[in-house]
Amino acid sequence: MKYSGWPEPGELVVGKIEEIEDFGVFVDLEEYQDKRGLIHISEVASGWIKNVRDHVREGQIAVCKVIDVDESHEQIDLSLKDVNDHQRSDKIQEWKNEQKADNWMEIAFGEDIDDELYISIANELLGAHGSLYDGFKQAAIHGEEALEKTDLSEDERAALVETARENVSVPYVNVTGYVDLENASPSGVDGIKAALEAAEGNGELPDEIDLSVSYVGSPEYRITVQAPNYKTAEAALEASAERAISAIEAEGGEGEYHRERRSDDE
C-alpha cells in the first residue's frame, strides 16, 4: 500500500535512490504513490563533499527527513544527514512491518483484492490503530474486540482476525502466583479438583490469555499466566485465584492467594 497524498515537513520517509547528479540525489518515495524527492548535495552528509557517489549509490534504500514540500511545483526536499542511526533503524523496521501487513491483507482478502476495497479496509485499520501493522497486531491479541471501532463488516473482521492470529508474532509476558487450597470437608479431593477447574477458567478464558495451574506441594498450587501485557496478565492471575478460593470455600474448605512460593524447593 502506498499513500496517495504528500508527506509532511519533518516526517521521516523511506526512499530508493534512483538518480545521482553532481548537485544532489533523486529519491523515489517507497511509501507514497508517484512521489519523488531531491536530496541536495548539502543535505547528503555533513561537511564538504567531493563526490556524492562516495556517500550514496543507485538502488540504495535510504531513510530521509522531509525538509520542505511544494505541492504546486511537485517538489519534495529531503535530507539524509539529519537522520540519526536510531531514527533510521526504527523507520526501516516500521516500513518492513507495513510491508508485512500489506502481504497479510492479500492473505486475508486474496491477491486479486480490488484497490477500492483494499483502501476502504486499510483506512479503517489506520483510523483505529494508526497503521496496518498495528491493526493486525491488535487483532491478533484481542480478536474482533480490536476492530469494534471500525465500520468493517463481520466477514471482514473475521478474515482479519484469522489472518492476524496465523501470521503475527505477538510479544507476551508471563506472571506467576500461588494459591493454597485446603479442604477438610466431606467433598475432600473432589472439592480441590473443582477449585482447580475454576482457577483454570472452566474453558472460558479469553483467547489472548494462556493460563495453567500446577501442583507445587500440599496445599500449594502455582498459577502461571501468559498474556499480551502485564496489566492483562495480572488481572487474569488475580481472577484465577479468586475463582479457586470462591470454589473451595463453597465446598467448605479454605483458600489463600499469595505471590511468592511458600513450600520447599522442588
Side-chain angles (χ1 to χ4, degrees):
M1 177 185 178
K2 290 191 176 185
Y3 299 118
S4 59
W6 293 81
E8 296 287 335
E11 182 179 340
L12 295 181
V13 293
V14 177
K16 180 184 288 186
I17 294 174
E18 292 293 339
E19 188 179 343
I20 300 175
E21 302 290 349
D22 291 339
F23 59 84
V25 180
F26 288 100
V27 180
D28 284 348
L29 303 189
E30 294 291 302
E31 300 162 290
Y32 287 87
Q33 189 73 39
D34 301 322
K35 295 297 184 294
R36 200 183 202 203
L38 172 66
I39 308 173
H40 187 267
I41 187 173
S42 63
E43 294 295 334
V44 171
S46 300
W48 182 72
I49 297 176
K50 180 179 181 180
N51 188 338
V52 179
R53 292 181 181 275
D54 291 337
H55 300 273
V56 293
R57 68 181 186 280
E58 278 143 350
Q60 174 184 340
I61 295 296
V63 176
C64 305
K65 183 177 182 179
V66 179
I67 299 175
D68 189 39
V69 176
D70 186 341
E71 294 184 28
S72 62
H73 292 87
E74 296 189 354
Q75 182 174 326
I76 303 172
D77 295 328
L78 305 170
S79 175
L80 195 58
K81 71 177 185 180
D82 284 349
V83 180
N84 61 42
D85 291 341
H86 179 70
Q87 291 172 320
R88 184 178 300 106
S89 176
D90 284 352
K91 182 60 183 180
I92 288 293
Q93 186 59 57
E94 176 188 316
W95 176 59
K96 289 181 177 179
N97 286 343
E98 289 304 284
Q99 288 181 309
K100 290 180 183 178
D102 184 64
N103 182 54
W104 296 335
M105 286 284 285
E106 292 186 356
I107 293 174
F109 303 103
E111 294 181 4
D112 58 348
I113 179 175
D114 65 70
D115 291 345
E116 185 176 347
L117 178 59
Y118 184 109
I119 292 171
S120 173
I121 296 171
N123 282 340
E124 291 296 325
L125 292 179
L126 289 168
H129 298 289
S131 73
L132 288 184
Y133 181 82
D134 284 338
F136 274 98
K137 181 179 178 180
Q138 292 304 313
I141 295 172
H142 299 293
E144 294 198 16
E145 180 183 342
L147 306 174
E148 286 182 352
K149 295 182 179 180
T150 69
D151 289 329
L152 297 169
S153 70
E154 184 175 334
D155 287 345
E156 288 167 347
R157 294 183 186 188
L160 287 168
V161 171
E162 180 181 359
T163 301
R165 289 187 164 163
E166 289 179 354
N167 293 277
V168 182
S169 297
V170 179
Y172 280 84
V173 299
N174 294 284
V175 295
T176 300
Y178 299 85
V179 63
D180 293 347
L181 301 174
E182 297 182 88
N183 187 21
S185 73
S187 63
V189 174
D190 289 337
I192 296 289
K193 288 181 178 178
L196 294 176
E197 290 176 359
E200 292 180 336
N202 295 310
E204 298 180 359
L205 292 174
D207 291 341
E208 71 266 26
I209 294 174
D210 184 15
L211 186 151
S212 63
V213 182
S214 57
Y215 177 73
V216 177
S218 183
E220 192 172 31
Y221 296 82
R222 179 189 294 111
I223 305 172
T224 302
V225 178
Q226 184 181 76
N229 55 68
Y230 280 106
K231 182 178 179 180
T232 301
E234 292 287 353
L237 177 62
E238 292 179 7
S240 173
E242 288 174 2
R243 290 194 300 269
I245 292 170
S246 294
I248 199 67
E249 289 178 346
E251 296 288 341
E254 297 179 348
E256 181 185 1
Y257 170 60
H258 50 96
R259 288 304 301 268
E260 300 299 326
R261 182 178 171 182
R262 292 173 177 172
S263 60
D264 295 335
D265 290 341
E266 295 173 294

